[in-house]
Amino acid sequence: MKLNVLASLVLLSALSVGAPALAQQDPLLKKNGCYACHRDVGRMVGPGYNEVAEKYRGESGAEARLEQKVRNGGYGVWGQLAMPPHPAIAEDELKALITTILRR
């Protein structure tokens, strides 16, 4: 029983350490559910935003390509899992999302 209590305390402690990091998430990315599959740094289901920014840094037309990819979905660039389309994101928010991601 004492071991279970100790394990629970350790788990709660670890979760509370991660809580401030969640508060640091970009509000627009959070609002649109992007953190369900992506992280700021490192892979989750999809690539981390740092990886996306590095891949497309300096590429002409990257913003427009990524806007289309988010709007219509995509497949094969980052692995076998497809990114579903996100047609409901408002145009101005989509542009702001892409700008935020590419600045990382």
Side-chain angles (χ1 to χ4, degrees):
M1 179 71 169
K2 288 182 182 181
L3 184 58
N4 287 340
V5 171
L6 181 60
S8 296
L9 289 173
V10 169
L11 178 60
L12 286 174
S13 175
L15 291 174
S16 67
V17 168
L22 292 177
Q24 301 289 326
Q25 291 180 340
D26 181 270
L28 198 52
L29 292 168
K30 187 173 182 178
K31 173 188 171 192
N32 286 287
C34 303
Y35 287 114
C37 295
H38 300 277
R39 293 182 181 170
D40 290 319
V41 176
R43 286 188 161 268
M44 198 161 127
V45 175
Y49 296 125
N50 64 318
E51 293 176 82
V52 175
E54 187 172 320
K55 179 177 182 68
Y56 293 100
R57 187 169 285 120
E59 185 178 309
S60 178
E63 293 88 354
R65 282 188 33 187
L66 290 174
E67 286 172 21
Q68 287 299 103
K69 187 166 288 213
V70 172
R71 175 79 60 217
N72 301 320
Y75 178 80
V77 174
W78 299 97
Q80 297 302 310
L81 287 176
M83 183 173 85
H86 296 84
I89 299 175
E91 191 67 30
D92 59 329
E93 284 192 358
L94 181 57
K95 289 183 181 301
L97 287 170
I98 299 304
T99 298
T100 297
I101 292 166
L102 291 177
R103 286 186 182 162
R104 301 210 177 236

